Amino acid sequence: MTFTLTVSDEVRALAPGFTHVAVEAYGLVNGPSTEGTSALLDDAARRLAGRLNGRAPHEDPHMAAWREVYTAFGSKPSRTRNSAEALARRALTDAGLPRINVLVDLYNAMSVAHLIPVGGEDIERVSGGMRLVRAAGDEEFVTVTGGAETVEHPDAGEVVWRDEAGVTCRRWNWRQGPRTRLTEESTSAIFLLEGLAPMPVAETGAAAAELAELLEKFSPGARVTVHAPE
């Protein structure tokens, strides 16, 4: 992998059933949401409804596992939901899923369709590789509150993704910082699909493969690599 991702021993001990699959892509073409990405988001919501079959998202065994892990590192999962559960709840409302931009729409669609947390970072905006760690509590997380840039600090022991410059995503996959997010100018990205037991590793891989196909469809000529689960 050109881009490095590491998971600390402390996080592995907290969640021994954790697996992630990375999709690394270069030569991407991003832009405003299209009719094509909007249709994918609508289809993902239909796939989700069929998967849940009347249940609430948090009743799915995979989402229940994420809630247990959030509780284990001190987060209240009913207030700070993992990204997949939060998106799934929105998908089931009358308002439906937000339309952000082509690349974000694609990975949000895969998150909802497979009920799995998926994140995307602009490789050019990441400082060094990314690490999944338990925070000391003094790390900086730059975000925007009320239109103004603010700096937060994660709780000690909180699971965060970080790079050399600071935290890129708080509470595992709850809130991404604006510094590394995918914008309409982004041309390279690392997408991360995160699974916990009882979700089969093969299903995480299948979601990654589907995302790779969509990236190639919407960015013809892009160089897309699906890495082995870790």
Side-chain angles (χ1 to χ4, degrees), residues 20-23 62-63 66 82-85 87 103-121 161 169 172-174 176 182 190-195 199 203-204 207-208 211-212 215:
H20 68 270
V21 178
V23 179
H62 190 215
M63 295 297 94
W66 276 105
N82 77 79
S83 63
E85 183 183 333
L87 270 179
L103 295 178
V104 175
D105 289 355
L106 295 184
Y107 79 71
N108 278 350
M110 291 302 92
S111 177
V112 169
H114 292 271
L115 203 52
I116 182 172
V118 184
E121 309 281 354
W161 279 103
C169 195
W172 207 314
N173 48 43
W174 167 64
Q176 182 188 33
L182 294 169
I190 190 80
F191 300 92
L192 197 63
L193 297 86
E194 301 180 298
M199 172 166 274
E203 184 166 353
T204 307
L211 174 58
L215 292 171

Side-chain angles (χ1 to χ4, degrees), residues 149-173:
E149 186 176 283
T150 59
V151 177
E152 298 177 355
H153 300 281
D155 300 325
E158 181 182 325
V159 176
V160 298
W161 279 103
R162 65 158 303 162
D163 64 3
E164 296 304 319
V167 173
T168 58
C169 195
R170 284 199 61 188
R171 294 185 180 136
W172 207 314
N173 48 43

Side-chain angles (χ1 to χ4, degrees), residues 67-91:
R67 284 194 165 214
E68 289 177 8
V69 167
Y70 268 51
T71 300
F73 68 77
S75 248
K76 294 184 178 178
S78 59
R79 287 200 308 181
T80 55
R81 297 178 176 89
N82 77 79
S83 63
E85 183 183 333
L87 270 179
R89 287 167 60 89
R90 293 189 68 172

